[in-house]
Amino acid sequence: QVQLVESGGGLVQAGGSLRLSCQASGSISSFEIMGWYRQVPGKQREMVADITRGGSTDYASSVKGRFTISRDYAKNTMYLQMNGLKPEDTAVYYCHTAWGRVDYWGQGTQVTVSS
């Protein structure tokens, strides 16, 4: 069983920064891919960024150049550094991984960007 716990969300003004953390219950070296997703009410959950075990990254076009995803294997934690935040980045952010053909999600952390 994998547990993922997000933290770091909050209220920030447009142009500001936040860093989200996703703490895993076990070694994140077990996970080939980890990622961040976000969801607003009434819309589908969308991929924001993901990172492979080897360090390759992928970003949604809407956040490329502003967000940076990373992994810290010593702390079993994944991060999402978010700079230049915009009101349209407001959402609940979830971390995700898959292991043993099972998808695992955290409980989500709210990010609100005021204009």
Side-chain angles (χ1 to χ4, degrees):
Q1 186 73 11
V2 176
Q3 290 186 328
L4 303 172
V5 179
E6 302 98 336
S7 61
L11 173 64
V12 64
Q13 288 188 333
S17 298
L18 284 172
R19 188 177 78 157
L20 304 183
S21 300
C22 173
Q23 175 77 51
S25 58
S27 172
I28 64 171
S29 62
S30 301
F31 310 138
E32 173 58 29
I33 296 177
M34 298 184 73
W36 288 97
Y37 288 70
R38 66 188 181 187
Q39 189 170 24
V40 298
K43 293 191 176 181
Q44 285 193 329
R45 194 170 294 188
E46 64 174 359
M47 192 277 283
V48 175
D50 62 37
I51 182 167
T52 69
R53 187 186 295 133
S56 297
T57 58
D58 191 24
Y59 296 92
S61 57
S62 59
V63 307
K64 199 170 292 185
R66 300 188 296 123
F67 291 9
T68 303
I69 190 171
S70 62
R71 278 173 149 180
D72 185 330
Y73 289 94
K75 296 182 178 179
N76 290 319
T77 301
M78 177 179 64
Y79 300 100
L80 184 68
Q81 178 66 44
M82 305 186 295
N83 299 328
L85 283 161
K86 304 176 181 180
E88 51 263 44
D89 294 318
T90 295
V92 178
Y93 284 71
Y94 299 89
C95 67
H96 168 267
T97 193
W99 188 71
R101 299 184 180 181
V102 177
D103 287 309
Y104 294 94
W105 297 90
Q107 82 288 353
T109 186
Q110 176 71 46
V111 172
T112 303
V113 185
S114 63
S115 57

